Amino acid sequence: MKKSIYIVFTGCLFFLSACDNGFEDLNKDPNAVTADRFNPAYLFTTGQYNTAKGDETTSLNYAEPFVQHMATLSNVGIFDFQGDKYVYHKGNNEAMWKGTYNAIAGSSKLIEDVITLSKDKPQYHNLYHMARIWKTVIYHRLTDMYGDLPYFEANQGYYQQIYKPKYDAQKDIYAHMLSELEDATAKLDASKTLYTSSDIVYAGNIAKWKRFGYSMMLRLGMRMSKVDPAAAESWVKKAFAGGVFTAIDDNLFIKGTDKAGTQEVLTNGQSWTLSVSGRSPGKIAKTFFDYMKSHNDPRLKYTVAVYTDPTNVATKNTDPAVQKGMPNGLDRITLPKDPSYNPTAPGQEHQFSGVNRDVFAKLDGPRMLLTYGEVQLLLAEAAVRGWIPGDAAQFYRNGVTGAMKMLQQYDGSATIPDADITAYLTANPFVGVADKEKAFEQINSEYWVATFLNGYESYANVRRSGYPKLTPVNYPDNETGGTYPRRLRYPDDEPVLNAANYNAAVARQGADTYKTRVWWDKQ
């Protein structure tokens, strides 16, 4: 009996052993998505889209009023457009950081996944290099707003079990971004897979991607013009030789897809804030309005509108006679004492111009990230500096023309006639190169106008160039003591969650305040 049991038991072991030889294969889900079969192009689309989503409040509430494109009557107790008065608001101060580093849907996390999953895989050749270029779009904005931050070790919790990434010096981040742009842009290959459906910006057009890569190189190179002029000149020359944007058709922007606004996540986030969730607070700043009006800028009539009742679009008034900008730094108590306020005007505080929503606040409208107009104005400055060949005056004219024609990409109703552009350039000709500072002021003031609602870029270039010369506000309880803000603070939980690396960054860069300058921001 025992012998029979032994034989049966042995037979079962043999059977189980034989089955085990193929057990793993038999128990694999043929439909499961694994790293070896997942197409990272699916992540690329979302990574691109999320670059323009989730950080709107930082751009609108801080960067835009910092550069005095926008103004508000709100004070520290009413939380919107805090950059108007240099006051602190945790959520809007941190929105860009949190949105970028979000562990699930953060733009940097998604693009890092694309890079990791496509590296060294020939079938993803262009996707890999496109993702490397896109990574610079994400990080240059982030480091320009905060300074030193996690870069080389960022988003490596899953891949390398790095849960407390070190903060890298902005100088090193810039060096790597520029080298990535140089290598990735050169390696893009139109003969390989183009990812026409996954790329929501250029539909896989390699020629446009190359111009985009070199235009980004130009922007980053010019950012170093004061801190490292020799390196700046070298990178600008490389960008110019490589070939930058040639027309507004090259403009880099992300559009919302839900015109009706039934799903907020599919709308242009800035437009949502300006036309749906935040209709009352933001007004056109007097500094910006007066500059455009004094120059008889044809863009002005398409940019502004008075909504005497911001909750009712039917109260829109585009009559030039009633348009005016709101001074920065006022609140509802100080407004009635300001000469700009008319106590008998309809709308009371809403007598001031806001953003023309039909042009700049369409829910399916574009959020501009990099434009031909900007590129040409940067080339104008580079030509004044003697860094590139060419006529600075022609680059200037190209830049102004491109910036004006760009408005038609927001809405066809904002198409500016060529005759109006010519009249503007005739009345505001390039000042020449004899006085370089005057040339820099003119070029960068036009750059400031050209980057309206591209708050991050406008704020970065104002700090870099010093133009236009903006008068700081000194509202009670502000973060700077009435001096111009130079950066945003790190999130409040960083000193707790990543204390050692946070402290090292502060020791290297300076106090974690709005007054500390980032690496390239030199007087």
Side-chain angles (χ1 to χ4, degrees):
M1 182 67 178
K2 289 182 179 179
K3 184 176 181 181
S4 297
I5 294 173
Y6 177 77
I7 291 172
V8 172
F9 179 70
T10 303
C12 287
L13 286 176
F14 177 79
F15 176 76
L16 290 172
S17 175
C19 288
D20 187 55
N21 287 336
F23 185 77
E24 287 189 11
D25 291 332
L26 288 172
N27 282 275
K28 281 184 177 179
D29 181 355
N31 298 314
V33 177
T34 56
D36 61 320
R37 63 173 61 181
F38 180 73
N39 185 344
Y42 300 144
L43 295 176
F44 188 64
T45 304
T46 309
Q48 284 184 312
Y49 186 76
N50 284 8
T51 303
K53 291 289 291 185
D55 67 330
E56 302 90 348
T57 58
T58 301
S59 179
L60 278 177
N61 287 275
Y62 276 108
E64 281 294 293
F66 275 170
V67 298
Q68 297 180 15
H69 283 161
M70 303 291 290
T72 183
L73 294 180
S74 297
N75 56 28
V76 71
I78 304 174
F79 298 120
D80 49 48
F81 289 78
Q82 293 81 13
D84 178 74
K85 298 172 177 64
Y86 313 160
V87 294
Y88 177 74
H89 179 263
K90 175 180 169 62
N92 291 334
N93 177 88
E94 298 180 0
M96 185 186 195
W97 182 287
K98 297 291 187 179
T100 301
Y101 287 126
N102 184 283
I104 298 175
S107 55
S108 68
K109 174 64 169 63
L110 292 167
I111 295 302
E112 197 67 54
D113 287 341
V114 175
I115 292 172
T116 300
L117 295 172
S118 61
K119 185 178 182 181
D120 298 325
K121 295 181 179 179
Q123 68 269 36
Y124 299 132
H125 176 89
N126 282 327
L127 181 68
Y128 172 63
H129 296 301
M130 288 158 61
R132 294 169 71 196
I133 294 171
W134 198 264
K135 182 176 177 179
T136 68
V137 176
I138 296 168
Y139 275 101
H140 92 282
R141 298 190 311 169
L142 192 67
T143 186
D144 287 349
M145 289 300 288
Y146 297 95
D148 296 0
L149 47 76
Y151 177 76
F152 293 104
E153 292 183 355
N155 303 301
Q156 296 302 313
Y158 175 79
Y159 299 110
Q160 298 185 41
Q161 291 73 57
I162 298 175
Y163 306 115
K164 296 183 178 181
K166 68 180 180 68
Y167 283 52
D168 297 295
Q170 188 179 60
K171 178 180 181 180
D172 297 333
I173 296 172
Y174 258 72
H176 188 262
M177 289 192 297
L178 284 161
S179 65
E180 285 288 278
L181 286 170
E182 181 177 31
D183 187 68
T185 305
K187 289 179 178 176
L188 289 171
D189 188 344
S191 70
K192 301 184 183 300
T193 304
L194 299 180
Y195 299 97
T196 55
S197 60
S198 301
D199 171 21
I200 60 174
V201 177
Y202 294 127
N205 186 314
I206 296 301
K208 286 182 179 288
W209 267 91
K210 282 183 174 289
R211 292 195 291 272
F212 161 38
Y214 288 119
S215 296
M216 276 296 299
M217 184 185 294
L218 172 67
R219 174 186 278 182
L220 268 59
M222 288 299 295
R223 199 82 92 228
M224 303 189 299
S225 61
K226 289 185 178 179
V227 69
D228 192 345
E233 179 179 359
S234 176
W235 284 111
V236 167
K237 285 180 175 177
K238 289 181 182 180
F240 184 68
V244 295
F245 286 171
T246 59
I248 66 168
D249 288 344
D250 290 332
N251 286 354
L252 177 72
F253 56 82
I254 303 290
K255 294 189 70 172
T257 59
D258 187 352
K259 182 178 182 178
T262 55
Q263 296 185 66
E264 180 184 349
V265 70
L266 298 179
T267 66
N268 177 321
Q270 286 196 153
S271 297
W272 181 272
T273 299
L274 291 169
S275 65
V276 179
S277 64
R279 290 179 171 179
S280 61
K283 305 298 182 185
I284 299 295
K286 176 177 171 59
T287 307
F288 186 59
F289 182 91
D290 287 355
Y291 179 90
M292 296 183 77
K293 184 176 181 179
S294 66
H295 286 73
N296 197 24
D297 193 317
R299 286 169 286 193
L300 183 60
K301 63 182 177 181
Y302 303 109
T303 302
V304 303
V306 169
Y307 296 86
T308 51
D309 177 0
T311 64
N312 183 0
V313 294
T315 65
K316 175 182 176 180
N317 188 341
T318 56
D319 180 359
V322 304
Q323 308 300 321
K324 61 181 176 180
M326 176 182 283
N328 291 95
L330 296 178
D331 59 26
R332 288 175 176 84
I333 296 174
T334 58
L335 175 65
K337 303 174 185 177
D338 191 86
S340 65
Y341 181 71
N342 179 359
T344 65
Q348 297 182 358
E349 67 187 63
H350 302 307
Q351 65 189 259
F352 294 93
S353 300
V355 171
N356 185 334
R357 296 180 203 163
D358 292 329
V359 176
F360 287 103
K362 294 169 61 177
L363 297 182
D364 62 343
R367 183 170 175 191
M368 293 290 172
L369 303 177
L370 177 64
T371 69
Y372 167 73
E374 297 169 40
V375 166
Q376 292 296 305
L377 290 169
L378 290 175
L379 291 178
E381 181 180 338
V384 173
R385 293 180 180 275
W387 291 354
I388 60 171
D391 181 6
Q394 187 58 54
F395 288 132
Y396 168 80
R397 289 190 291 269
N398 293 345
V400 172
T401 300
M404 289 189 178
K405 286 186 174 294
M406 173 184 69
L407 267 63
Q408 68 194 48
Q409 294 178 319
Y410 283 96
D411 189 76
S413 66
T415 300
I416 299 176
D418 291 342
D420 290 356
I421 299 174
T422 300
Y424 180 84
L425 290 170
T426 301
N428 303 278
F430 182 58
V431 297
V433 299
D435 187 329
K436 290 187 177 181
E437 279 305 315
K438 284 186 178 180
F440 295 157
E441 181 173 17
Q442 183 185 37
I443 292 166
N444 286 290
S445 294
E446 285 292 338
Y447 196 93
W448 171 66
V449 177
T451 50
F452 176 63
L453 291 185
N454 186 357
Y456 297 136
E457 180 57 24
S458 197
Y459 178 45
N461 199 65
V462 166
R463 286 176 289 162
R464 176 195 72 88
S465 69
Y467 299 114
K469 295 180 180 179
L470 302 173
T471 302
V473 301
N474 194 12
Y475 192 81
D477 299 320
N478 72 77
E479 293 288 310
T480 68
T483 62
Y484 193 73
R486 313 311 299 193
R487 63 183 284 274
L488 295 182
R489 285 164 45 180
Y490 295 124
D492 285 350
D493 57 8
E494 281 296 294
V496 177
L497 301 178
N498 197 5
N501 292 312
Y502 166 86
N503 290 330
V506 172
R508 177 178 60 244
Q509 178 172 260
D512 186 13
T513 70
Y514 283 22
K515 296 189 290 185
T516 296
R517 292 172 181 260
V518 300
W519 165 70
W520 50 255
D521 180 11
K522 300 299 179 184
Q523 293 176 319

